[in-house]
Amino acid sequence: MGALVGLLLGGGLFLLWWSCWVPSQRVRGGPAGPMARARDVLAQAGVASVTPQAVLGACLAVWSAVAVLGLALTQSVSIAAAFATLAAWLPVTVVTTRARRRRTVLRELWPEVVDNLASGVRAGLSLPEAVGQLAERGPEPLRPAFAAFAADYRASGRFGEALDVLKERLADPVADRICEALRITREVGGADLGRLLRSLSAFLREDLRTRSELAARQSWTVNAARVAVAAPWLVLAMLSTRPESVRAFDSTAGAVVLIAGGAVCAVAYRLMLRIGRLPEEQRVLR
């Protein structure tokens, strides 16, 4: 009897404690968490089927391979670990670089998408038909996404849900604005959709022109900073061919120098990216 009373008391205390921890839910349009941002980058890179955990596994695999290879070549644990840590960021760098390049390409295509939508609406097409016809008349890189939207709408008949899936598939702030404008027009009606789309097209073209001018002016500064960050590690790679240098860096003082140098390079590189890179538009209409 005492054991039963204790079990019930413990269960009640556990339920009271559990009730104090309400799972937080991100409101629509609120700030995204790290995993959501990682999935957005993967979708923008065109590899939405790859999970963030898979990218992390690739980083660990690259670190292990480079560490074994570096240890075999230099016979130095500290030098091998330093180059393995640098190489471990290679999968992340490949994904982010591809996402950045694809965003640049899509930024030039969104005005054409908006113009096609405006012409479809002006021709009397319904909103689902105007969006679905982009699978044939839209820009080539975006046709698969709009073809999937058309298939989703035909399967469910729910325009809002198909738009939500399209937004997640594209993971682009411009696509979010277009989809929300179409959703509002579908739900509450409105005769100004054509004017809104034409204004959005003009704004996107102006933004593209301004961004292109700024990117051309600051690209040489970013490239010079990247060369400056890579130079010490190229020197370390050449020094690692000499046995006396390997013995020096394999000591405690040498390991401290490598750690300090790596930390300084990482901070300087991140600071350079934050100062020199143009701000990217965030997704606020998820």
Side-chain angles (χ1 to χ4, degrees):
M1 188 63 182
L4 180 60
V5 172
L7 183 61
L8 293 175
L9 179 61
L13 293 176
F14 173 75
L15 291 176
L16 288 175
W17 174 82
W18 192 20
S19 65
C20 296
W21 300 94
V22 179
S24 60
Q25 295 181 352
R26 185 174 59 87
V27 297
R28 181 170 175 158
M35 294 299 293
R37 289 195 295 269
R39 286 191 292 269
D40 285 347
V41 173
L42 290 170
Q44 292 166 2
V47 288
S49 59
V50 179
T51 62
Q53 292 81 1
V55 176
L56 179 60
C59 293
L60 294 176
V62 171
W63 188 93
S64 302
V66 175
V68 171
L69 181 61
L71 188 60
L73 293 177
T74 64
Q75 302 298 318
S76 172
V77 175
S78 57
I79 294 178
F83 281 107
T85 304
L86 289 176
W89 288 98
L90 182 60
V92 177
T93 303
V94 170
V95 171
T96 54
T97 301
R98 180 171 176 176
R100 193 178 308 117
R101 290 178 179 175
R102 193 165 181 266
R103 283 197 303 267
T104 302
V105 172
L106 294 183
R107 194 176 290 121
E108 299 176 357
L109 300 178
W110 283 120
E112 181 181 350
V113 171
V114 177
D115 290 342
N116 285 332
L117 282 174
S119 63
V121 171
R122 192 165 51 247
L125 295 177
S126 66
L127 288 180
E129 292 174 344
V131 179
Q133 57 91 25
L134 292 173
E136 299 177 358
R137 297 180 52 191
E140 187 68 31
L142 292 172
R143 289 184 181 181
F146 288 108
F149 164 84
D152 292 338
Y153 180 72
R154 285 194 302 268
S156 64
R158 297 182 177 91
F159 185 65
E161 293 182 5
L163 280 181
D164 290 335
V165 177
L166 177 64
K167 287 168 57 177
E168 294 304 319
R169 187 177 291 116
L170 293 172
D172 189 273
V174 179
D176 292 344
R177 293 207 301 268
I178 295 173
C179 291
E180 292 304 320
L182 297 176
R183 187 197 308 275
I184 293 174
T185 304
R186 174 81 170 185
E187 293 178 354
V188 303
D192 293 335
L193 178 60
R195 184 183 306 171
L196 183 148
L197 292 176
R198 289 191 295 272
S199 301
L200 180 58
S201 176
F203 170 76
L204 292 176
R205 285 189 168 86
E206 183 65 25
D207 178 73
L208 176 62
R209 181 165 54 252
T210 303
R211 184 177 291 271
S212 299
E213 294 177 358
L214 293 175
R217 293 181 181 180
Q218 59 92 37
S219 60
W220 67 272
T221 304
V222 176
N223 292 331
R226 287 173 177 170
V227 171
V229 170
W233 302 101
L234 294 177
V235 173
L236 177 62
M238 290 186 291
L239 289 176
S240 63
T241 59
R242 304 178 58 183
E244 56 272 20
S245 299
V246 172
R247 288 193 297 269
F249 282 111
D250 213 21
S251 62
T252 303
V256 171
V257 169
L258 290 178
I259 295 174
V264 170
C265 287
V267 172
Y269 186 70
R270 296 301 304 176
L271 189 61
M272 177 270 299
L273 290 181
R274 182 170 293 274
I275 293 174
R277 182 176 297 169
L278 296 177
E280 294 289 343
E281 188 176 3
Q282 302 296 320
R283 295 186 63 194
V284 296
L285 298 174
R286 292 173 172 271

